Amino acid sequence: FEFPAQDSVELAKRLGRTAITQIVQRYLEFWQSDLSEEDTESHLKEEIDLHIQELEAAPDFLSVDDWKELGQPYQDVIEEIGSSLPPQLQAMAAELKHLATLSIRKNTSSPAHTGLVVAGFGEWEMLPSLVCYEIDGLISGRLKCLKSQEMDVTRKNSGAIFPFAQTDMVYRFMEGVDPDYAIQLQQNIHALLLSNVLDVADILAADDAHKASLRPALESAVDAAFDVFWQEDIRLRRERFSQPIIDMVMSLPKDELANLAESLVSLTSLQRRVSREIETVGGAIDVAVISKGDGFVWVKRKHYFSPDRNLRFVNGYFSEYAAANSDGGQHGNT
C-alpha cells in the first residue's frame, strides 16, 4: 500500500498550521490583556523562542537531509503558511516558518493527533500490559507516532487506572481536584509567595540597588520552597485519594472492574451534558473485559440495529463463529 503523496503534503500543512494557530491564539490573549504593542511583541517572541527550543530538543522524525529530500511540495507548504500569517505577525515570519518546519520534522504529537491503545496479554505473559501511541499520520511513507504511556503489571506494580482522550473527570475523581484548577492554583500560590517576599524586600532594602541585588536570591528561595510544598501536595493527593482507589481496584472481580470503567466514562458524559462544553462523550458505552483465561469478552456492546428484531443475523453470526472455533479445535487436536 502506497500512501498518496498529496495526502502526505496535506498532513504536513495541517501540522504546520496547527503550530502557527497556537501562536496566533497566544497573540490574541496578549492583545486582549491590554498589553502595549511592544510588550505584546516581546512576550510573543519569548513564546515562539520557547516553542522552538522545545522542538529542537525533541528527537527527529525527519532529519534535516530527509526533509530536504522530500522536495519542493513540502517547501511550498512552509511558504504558504508564512504568506498566510496575519499582518501583525509578518515581522516574525522567519521564526514562525522555522517553527512550522520543526513541528513537521520533530517526533512530537500535534494537538490534532489521534490515539491508539493496545492492552492485553502476550502469548507467554501471565500479567497484562498496556501501551498508548499518539498518531498524526503518514508523511512520505513514514508513520509519525509517539509512545505516550506504557504500563506492565508486575508483582510490585499490580494495578493502575489510565484515562484516555477526555481525562479531566477521571482525574477529579482520582485526585480530588480538577487538573486545570490545580495548575491555576499552582501558579497563583507561587505568584502570591513571590509577591509577599518582594514586598518585604521593598521595606527592608536600603535602596533600589540593594533590592535589585536581593531579587535573584529571593526568587530562587521562593522557587525552592514552593517546589517542596507542591511535591508534598502531590504526595498527599496520591496517598489520600488515588492510592486507596487503586488498592481497591487490585482486588475487584472482573465484573466490578467493568462497572467501574463504565461509571468513570458515564461521569465524564454527565459532566459534558450539563456544562457548556462540547458534548464529546455520550450515548451508549461499550464495555469489554480482557483476561488471561477468558480472552476478550464483551460486557456491554451497542448495535446499530436491534438484535431481537434481527434473530436470523444473530443466529447466523454465532453459528459461523462456533463452526470456525470447532474447525480450529479439530485441527489443533490432529
Side-chain angles (χ1 to χ4, degrees), residues 94-109:
E95 293 91 341
L96 290 173
K97 287 194 290 186
H98 182 47
L99 176 64
T101 301
L102 288 175
S103 68
I104 302 169
R105 262 204 333 106
K106 292 295 183 173
N107 196 24
T108 57
S109 57

Side-chain angles (χ1 to χ4, degrees), residues 119-129 292:
F121 299 82
E123 185 175 354
W124 301 105
E125 290 177 331
M126 297 302 298
L127 297 172
S129 300
K292 186 66 175 179

